[in-house]
Amino acid sequence: MSKFKKALLGSIAPLLLGSMLGMATQAVASDERFYGRFTADNELYTPRDYRTWVFIGASVTPNDMNDGAAAFPEFHNVYLDPGSYAHWKKTGEFRSGSVIVKELVSVGTKEAPSGNGYFPGEYGGIAAMVKNDKRYPDRPGNWAYFGFDGESRHGAIQEDSACSACHQQNAADDQVFTQFYPVLRAAKP
Amino acid sequence: MSKFKKALLGSIAPLLLGSMLGMATQAVASDERFYGRFTADNELYTPRDYRTWVFIGASVTPNDMNDGAAAFPEFHNVYLDPGSYAHWKKTGEFRSGSVIVKELVSVGTKEAPSGNGYFPGEYGGIAAMVKNDKRYPDRPGNWAYFGFDGESRHGAIQEDSACSACHQQNAADDQVFTQFYPVLRAAKP
């Protein structure tokens, strides 16, 4: 190898190594990166990408099983942001920064080739809960609950007496209904 | 800038550019990378990571709505691998390489604070379908259907008269029940 090539390799090697280390760091960081964007008033901008987050469970509370007036018709498909799922798998806790989105989907049909039951129809809106000790230091458990009204660009924080009260009283783990989320139970260390 | 530095930069620049292009290619490739591992007989090794894939829909066909003997009790939560979801978003088609996993989850309870309904209980097994024109050239639509028996390391391909016949006859789009998957309908270009 020529003296020049050796000198050149000596100069390039640290750069390439640095670049490779940078890539590794980036990969780890993106695994636990934070999700959700917020207004100056700490209201959550309407999440658009949650369907590629981690699905944690689906329940159905159909109108026809609730005297025609279910509180949350019909399917609720629930997602946790990927960074907070990675954190849950390591620690079994919801980190500050956790974003959980509940998507409501109508019942499309009750009969299908696979049998009688409830089958998803069309998208009907979302709700969300966000845990953040900096943004919501005075909310119970630092969880804020958001309703989203039609085409609004961001959610509105709900009174503690609305969502939070029921979640505090009935949810199995830090206001999250893990009793209905086998995915989270299976991932808990 | 010294003559030496100029010469050095001239030598490094193509390498760094090549490295950056390599990273860009890798990013695109990982977005559409292929999922699933296969035996020499083209049988799918039991998928372990599907809960971080893209959830496309959940139906419930409970025993108590099917004379105590539902064909697919109880919830079926269905996932599509991320690379094939990315491809679907671009083309509206299931590429060769698509892997769809159906997870069965028991009904845990029919009563909860949110109302009467069906709520997930415990994991009960999986089934899968894989589209691949190289591995399954003679299967209808190149889809192979897999059953997984308890702790088996890989799935067993099912006869066409089993899963495939019903999917061919009833599923809305290339043997996939997109009529029950609002996530896929919304993402179709």
Side-chain angles (χ1 to χ4, degrees):
Chain A
M1 191 181 282
S2 78
K3 206 168 163 185
F4 176 73
K5 275 192 184 158
K6 264 191 196 162
L8 188 61
L9 270 179
S11 307
I12 293 171
L15 285 171
L16 288 183
L17 186 64
S19 165
M20 285 162 69
L21 284 174
M23 284 168 67
T25 307
Q26 194 176 38
V28 171
S30 73
D31 189 42
E32 290 217 17
R33 72 179 185 273
F34 289 94
Y35 287 74
R37 295 190 312 113
F38 296 85
T39 69
D41 295 331
N42 289 319
E43 294 192 306
L44 178 66
Y45 278 111
T46 307
R48 302 290 179 197
D49 58 348
Y50 62 86
R51 283 175 178 160
T52 55
W53 294 4
V54 179
F55 167 73
I56 58 175
S59 303
V60 59
T61 48
N63 276 325
D64 64 10
M65 290 176 72
N66 292 276
D67 301 325
F72 305 100
E74 309 274 2
F75 284 92
H76 9 134
N77 300 334
V78 186
Y79 297 86
L80 172 64
D81 76 87
S84 299
Y85 175 75
H87 187 84
W88 168 271
K89 281 210 302 188
K90 278 201 312 201
T91 66
E93 292 183 349
F94 297 104
R95 67 173 181 179
S96 179
S98 296
V99 184
I100 294 177
V101 171
K102 173 173 71 175
E103 178 171 67
L104 301 176
V105 176
S106 70
V107 172
T109 179
K110 294 180 64 178
E111 264 188 68
S114 57
N116 299 316
Y118 291 94
F119 296 84
E122 296 297 336
Y123 166 76
I126 62 168
M129 57 189 287
V130 178
K131 184 185 179 83
N132 195 305
D133 54 8
K134 302 286 188 304
R135 296 182 192 277
Y136 318 115
D138 300 328
R139 300 270 166 191
N142 306 131
W143 285 105
Y145 292 78
F146 292 91
F148 295 84
D149 191 10
E151 294 300 304
S152 63
R153 289 187 58 227
H154 60 78
I157 296 185
Q158 308 294 295
E159 294 298 324
D160 286 342
S161 57
C163 323
S164 179
C166 175
H167 278 250
Q168 286 181 64
Q169 197 175 341
N170 298 300
D173 198 339
D174 192 12
Q175 299 186 36
V176 181
F177 284 92
T178 53
Q179 64 263 51
F180 306 137
Y181 303 146
V183 169
L184 289 186
R185 293 202 304 278
K188 192 165 184 166
Chain B
M1 190 180 284
S2 79
K3 207 168 161 185
F4 177 72
K5 277 192 183 159
K6 266 191 195 161
L8 188 60
L9 270 180
S11 306
I12 294 172
L15 286 171
L16 288 182
L17 186 63
S19 165
M20 286 162 69
L21 284 175
M23 285 168 67
T25 307
Q26 195 176 38
V28 171
S30 74
D31 187 42
E32 292 217 15
R33 73 180 186 273
F34 288 94
Y35 287 74
R37 295 190 313 112
F38 295 84
T39 68
D41 294 331
N42 289 319
E43 293 193 306
L44 179 66
Y45 278 111
T46 308
R48 303 289 180 198
D49 58 348
Y50 61 85
R51 283 175 178 159
T52 55
W53 294 4
V54 179
F55 167 74
I56 58 174
S59 304
V60 59
T61 47
N63 276 325
D64 64 10
M65 290 176 73
N66 292 279
D67 300 325
F72 304 99
E74 311 273 0
F75 283 91
H76 10 133
N77 301 334
V78 186
Y79 297 86
L80 173 63
D81 76 87
S84 299
Y85 175 75
H87 187 84
W88 169 270
K89 281 211 302 187
K90 279 200 313 199
T91 66
E93 292 184 349
F94 297 104
R95 67 173 181 178
S96 179
S98 295
V99 184
I100 294 178
V101 172
K102 173 174 71 175
E103 178 171 66
L104 300 176
V105 176
S106 69
V107 171
T109 178
K110 294 179 63 178
E111 263 187 68
S114 57
N116 299 316
Y118 290 93
F119 296 84
E122 297 297 338
Y123 166 77
I126 62 169
M129 57 190 286
V130 178
K131 185 186 180 81
N132 195 305
D133 54 8
K134 302 287 188 302
R135 295 183 192 278
Y136 318 115
D138 300 328
R139 301 268 167 190
N142 306 132
W143 285 105
Y145 292 78
F146 292 92
F148 295 83
D149 190 10
E151 294 301 305
S152 64
R153 290 186 59 225
H154 59 78
I157 296 186
Q158 308 294 296
E159 294 296 324
D160 286 342
S161 58
C163 322
S164 179
C166 175
H167 278 250
Q168 286 181 63
Q169 197 173 346
N170 297 299
D173 199 339
D174 193 12
Q175 299 186 36
V176 181
F177 284 92
T178 53
Q179 64 262 51
F180 306 137
Y181 303 146
V183 169
L184 288 186
R185 292 201 303 277
K188 192 165 183 166

